[in-house]
């Protein structure tokens, strides 16, 4: 329980700062460090990530980083995909589940690295004008032409990934909001917390009645530590550039992908 609590604090700080990372870190920790079954770990991570996001949301909302309207629509639509993804995950062997998860993280991480580079170039070129520019208004204008079809499509895919892999969704929500919906990174990470709460609840609902064991003492310690870390991590995002947060997020995805992929290969042998 002590180990779970300490690790939870670290993961919570990451969730609070980046609006993601809870599920992609908590699932491997629950499996490889705390020795839980992958399916049990996936379900437990939804509890942990959902509560952590709930604790982190108020601070980000006060900073103006949460787009409530589009976040609520995104989260609501994603629940449909989450229910389907949660059902489909029961049909997949644990090693296949983790291997696919690692591959997905690697691909998304590479895309986010490219996004970070492009964002940094724009930041450097427009440095003289940033004091008079509203990044939220600019990102809203950039995505205004996408329409409801783009929003619904991105949300449905995110929900499928969330339900299937048993993660809160931040690993998919943030890239979708940044790469597809043209959100600025800070706005994406804040809005992601709202989507994660909705998606985590839906993912748990899809597992209702399934043969899943919840180790509540471990989950409780993990969640308390993660929620505390989430509250502490929020202010970090306010001090960093969008490109820096994007690059950190990308490195997190790639690092976890490599670790999970190697562990899955070793275990399979």
């Amino acid at each position: 329980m002590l180990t779970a609590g300490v690790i939870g604090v670290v993961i919570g700080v990451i969730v609070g700062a980046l609006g993601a990372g809870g599920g992609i870190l908590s699932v491997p920790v629950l499996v490889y460090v705390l020795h839980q079954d992958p399916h049990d770990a996936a379900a437990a991570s939804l509890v942990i990530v959902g509560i952590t996001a709930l604790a982190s949301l108020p601070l980000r909302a006060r900073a103006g980083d949460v787009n409530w309207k589009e976040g609520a629509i995104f989260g609501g639509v994603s629940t449909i995909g989450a229910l389907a993804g949660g059902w489909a995950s029961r049909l997949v062997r644990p090693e296949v589940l983790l291997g696919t998860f690692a591959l997905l993280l690697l691909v998304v991480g590479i895309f986010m690295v490219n996004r970070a580079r492009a964002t940094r170039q724009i930041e450097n070129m427009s440095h003289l004008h940033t004091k008079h520019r509203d990044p939220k208004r600019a990102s809203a204008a950039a995505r205004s032409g996408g329409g409801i079809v783009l929003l619904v499509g991105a949300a449905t895919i995110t929900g499928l990934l969330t339900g299937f892999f048993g993660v809160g969704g931040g690993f998919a929500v943030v890239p979708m909001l940044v790469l597809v919906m043209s959100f600025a990174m800070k706005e994406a990470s804040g809005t992601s917390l709202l989507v994660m709460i909705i998606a985590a609840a839906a993912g748990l609902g899809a597992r209702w009645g399934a043969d899943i064991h919840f180790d509540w003492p471990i989950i409780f310690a993990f969640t308390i530590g993660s929620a505390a870390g989430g509250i502490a991590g929020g202010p970090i995002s306010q001090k960093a550039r969008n490109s820096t947060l994007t690059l950190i997020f990308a490195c997190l995805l790639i690092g976890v992908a490599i670790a999970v992929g190697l562990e899955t290969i070793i275990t399979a042998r």
Side-chain angles (χ1 to χ4, degrees), residues 60-261:
R60 300 302 299 275
R62 286 195 294 270
D65 290 336
V66 180
N67 186 317
W68 293 99
K69 180 181 178 180
E70 294 191 25
I73 295 173
F74 196 103
V77 173
S78 71
T79 60
I80 300 174
L83 291 171
W87 176 83
S89 71
R90 305 179 189 181
L91 308 178
V92 180
R93 298 196 309 272
E95 62 273 17
V96 175
L97 191 68
L98 291 173
T100 308
F101 184 49
L103 180 61
L104 177 65
L105 293 181
L106 181 61
V107 172
V108 175
I110 292 172
F111 274 104
M112 292 298 284
V113 168
N114 292 330
R115 176 70 182 205
R117 290 174 177 172
T119 302
R120 177 57 61 89
Q121 291 177 352
I122 294 173
E123 289 173 341
N124 291 337
M125 291 174 61
S126 60
H127 178 69
L128 296 177
H129 306 284
T130 53
K131 292 183 180 180
H132 307 286
R133 183 173 182 272
D134 184 346
K136 294 185 179 62
R137 184 174 298 173
S139 65
R143 63 177 178 268
S144 60
I148 191 65
V149 174
L150 184 63
L151 179 64
V152 170
T156 302
I157 294 173
T158 299
L160 283 169
L161 297 174
T162 297
F164 186 75
F165 293 113
V167 294
F171 85 98
V173 174
V174 172
M176 281 291 184
L177 293 178
V178 171
L179 299 175
V180 179
M181 302 303 298
S182 299
F183 275 59
M185 182 61 188
K186 290 182 181 179
E187 186 183 13
S189 62
T191 304
S192 172
L193 296 172
L194 174 61
V195 179
M196 287 164 61
I197 294 168
I198 300 172
L204 284 171
R207 286 166 169 76
W208 186 265
D211 185 20
I212 294 174
H213 170 69
F214 288 95
D215 190 339
W216 289 114
I218 293 296
I219 293 174
F220 177 78
F222 208 127
T223 303
I224 293 298
S226 185
I231 295 172
I236 296 176
S237 66
Q238 305 305 313
K239 300 177 181 180
R241 301 171 72 177
N242 280 303
S243 58
T244 301
L245 291 173
T246 304
L247 183 59
I248 293 173
F249 181 79
C251 292
L252 174 66
L253 293 180
I254 294 173
V256 174
I258 293 173
V260 173

